Amino acid sequence: MNAGTDRRPLGVALIGSTGSIGRQTVDVLGALPAAFRVVALAAGRNAAVLVEQAARLRPAAVAIAAESAAGLDLPPGTERVGGEAALETLVTRDDVDLVVVGTGGIVSLRPVLAALAAGKVVATANKETLVAGGHLVMPFARERAAAVAAARPGDPFASPLAWLRPIDSEHSAIWQCLVGEGTAGVEALILTASGGPFLDAPADLATVTPGQALRHPTWSMGAKITIDSATLANKGLEVIEAHWLYDVAYDAIEVVIHPQSVVHSAVRFVDGSLKAQLGTPDMRLPIQYALTYPERRPSPSSAVDLVAAGRLEFRAPDTDRFPALRIARAAGSIGQRATTALIAADEVAVERFLAGTLGFGDIPRVLEDAVARFGDGTDQAPDLESLVALDAEVRAEFASAPIGRGPA
Ligand SMILES: NC(=O)c1ccc[n+]([C@@H]2O[C@H](COP(=O)([O-])OP(=O)(O)OC[C@H]3O[C@@H](n4cnc5c(N)ncnc54)[C@H](OP(=O)(O)O)[C@@H]3O)[C@@H](O)[C@H]2O)c1
């Protein structure tokens, strides 16, 4: 692959270009035209934004999942790729060097595996790919890194994280703390969490509405991850994501509540030293780092003003009030059937909460039930097809089942 060393622009395929991460990635790419060329874009349903992005970026190919998006008004030179394997076709094109994943759920698991197998670099904001398929994805990244290490020890591409690059701000922070460090020196990873809109109130979370839960205190993100941040399920998924990305045991991954979202995460080393990465809550920074690694470039994100930030607070999470964090961590310790059941159930539960057919307090009940009923079994490292089938089975089960107390 073109690792950027020959200085021709890297070809980028952006999956989920119309979402929160996708649009911010378009902004970052647009500011670095000499370094990157957008080759392919893919969206779910938003034909209008996809067409506007295609007109602006002139990719060679686009795909849209919605069958209703019939005639796309694409610029000359942009072809539309269709069919079930459209995403795999886009990400494995010869002119693609780097794939950015901004989709939710496990829709991108298949294309991520195809991209890594084809020698592409993958930068992912999506955590479900690792939460469900970490055991399938990471071996590719480790194999690529080992091949580089054998030929060129010390090369920035001799790390699995050069091939599977995290965009999630916490995981980007840990990655940045680990650059130049050996894994033997790591004692623990410390993921920070804002605590979401209900950190201190109301006492009874059963009564909160989607409108309240969507008001995140520090980050502006898509609806699913915003609700996951309010239940702390998101932090639980991030613990599992960190376990796979950094090959660290679950009991060495800690979570700390940090309401200001300035310290994005930290690593504690065996000598007692703690390294943290600080930044303003702006996803364009971790997106850009994942694109330009191992280099840093000027970015539109402003640096943290420590004096203006003033006081930074930290406290332990309350898993009695926010049981989803405990449930997700337990699922991670069971294995990949449990984590797949967890994320499938969470997606349905969040959809139902937003639609007003499920109460906020019922979300963790759905997660616990899904892990107990679908997450057991001896095969805790299912192959891709079993994993996709389990995802569909769990979704179907919880799509309409009567659950708990219902909306307030
Ligand atoms: N937003 C953040 O700041 C943030 C931060 C950290 C991590 N993440 C993670 O990043 C992922 C995306 O989050 P988000 O907030 O950006 O979500 P989002 O705003 O809902 O965007 C999801 C994107 O995926 C597209 N999509 C859905 N189904 C598709 C399909 N079958 N084929 C191709 N594209 C498809 C959507 O297209 P349409 O819009 O056209 O339907 C949209 O572009 C999640 O895993 C989330 O946890 C997000």
Side-chain angles (χ1 to χ4, degrees):
M1 93 124 216
N2 167 20
T5 43
D6 59 6
R7 295 300 167 200
R8 77 172 159 82
L10 293 176
V12 176
L14 172 54
I15 308 300
S17 64
T18 49
S20 164
I21 289 291
R23 293 177 200 224
Q24 294 179 84
T25 304
V26 165
D27 285 351
V28 172
L29 291 167
L32 299 168
F36 301 102
R37 187 169 65 88
V38 177
V39 169
L41 296 173
R45 288 189 297 260
N46 197 335
V49 170
L50 181 65
V51 164
E52 180 275 315
Q53 290 175 335
R56 194 150 40 104
L57 302 167
R58 299 299 184 103
V62 300
I64 186 159
E67 283 164 17
S68 53
L72 290 184
D73 184 14
L74 296 171
T78 299
E79 71 161 319
R80 178 176 178 175
V81 175
E84 273 196 6
L87 298 183
E88 284 103 298
T89 305
L90 291 188
V91 301
T92 54
R93 288 173 59 98
D94 285 346
D95 51 1
V96 168
D97 301 294
L98 197 151
V99 178
V100 182
V101 183
T103 48
I106 63 162
V107 68
S108 289
L109 178 52
R110 222 181 273 278
V112 163
L113 290 169
L116 289 169
K120 316 295 187 191
V121 168
V122 174
T124 182
N126 173 286
K127 56 199 81 183
E128 293 90 337
T129 296
L130 283 165
V131 171
H135 61 301
L136 303 174
V137 170
M138 287 315 291
F140 277 107
R142 293 187 186 126
E143 205 176 288
R144 299 266 163 226
V148 175
R152 300 187 302 278
D155 187 293
F157 279 76
S159 160
L161 296 167
W163 296 93
L164 201 279
R165 304 180 182 179
I167 286 178
D168 224 349
S169 59
E170 294 78 357
H171 302 78
S172 175
I174 290 171
W175 179 24
Q176 293 178 56
C177 293
L178 288 176
V179 169
E181 302 282 356
T183 48
V186 174
E187 185 175 85
L189 309 181
I190 303 169
L191 291 167
T192 55
S194 72
F198 309 128
L199 179 58
D200 296 312
D204 182 6
L205 289 175
T207 60
V208 305
T209 63
Q212 292 170 306
L214 284 169
R215 246 173 267 136
H216 196 281
T218 47
W219 291 95
S220 166
M221 309 178 284
K224 162 71 168 51
I225 184 174
T226 305
I227 302 302
D228 280 348
S229 299
T231 61
L232 287 199
N234 182 53
K235 209 50 55 181
L237 301 185
E238 288 179 6
V239 168
I240 303 168
E241 185 184 8
H243 164 75
W244 285 107
L245 275 170
Y246 307 110
D247 200 14
V248 166
Y250 281 105
D251 59 7
I253 305 173
E254 301 169 7
V255 172
V256 171
I257 300 293
H258 167 46
Q260 292 81 15
S261 299
V262 169
V263 175
H264 290 317
S265 278
V267 177
R268 189 170 66 244
F269 294 91
V270 288
D271 60 358
S273 189
L274 198 78
K275 252 176 146 179
Q277 186 262 344
L278 281 65
T280 46
D282 181 344
M283 284 307 295
R284 291 174 302 176
L285 203 154
I287 290 170
Q288 179 167 308
Y289 186 72
L291 295 175
T292 64
Y293 171 88
E295 293 174 9
R296 289 187 187 270
R297 302 279 181 94
S299 115
S301 307
S302 49
V304 173
D305 178 337
L306 289 174
V307 174
R311 187 197 305 235
L312 299 179
E313 299 160 276
F314 303 92
R315 57 174 120 151
D318 180 347
T319 52
D320 291 331
R321 266 189 103 223
F322 300 100
L325 173 58
R326 170 180 50 75
I327 296 163
R329 188 188 266 282
S333 299
I334 298 170
Q336 299 308 101
R337 278 189 70 80
T339 55
T340 302
L342 176 86
I343 56 172
D346 186 46
E347 229 164 278
V348 176
V350 170
E351 267 168 33
R352 288 184 61 176
F353 169 65
L354 289 172
T357 63
L358 194 76
F360 187 82
D362 291 326
I363 297 176
R365 290 191 191 100
V366 172
L367 304 188
E368 195 147 44
D369 193 22
V371 172
R373 284 167 56 203
F374 294 89
D376 62 355
T378 49
D379 179 16
Q380 288 292 347
D383 63 18
L384 178 59
E385 300 314 326
S386 316
L387 198 148
V388 171
L390 176 62
D391 177 76
E393 190 185 355
V394 174
R395 282 161 176 279
E397 173 64 18
F398 289 97
S400 56
I403 294 154
R405 282 182 280 177

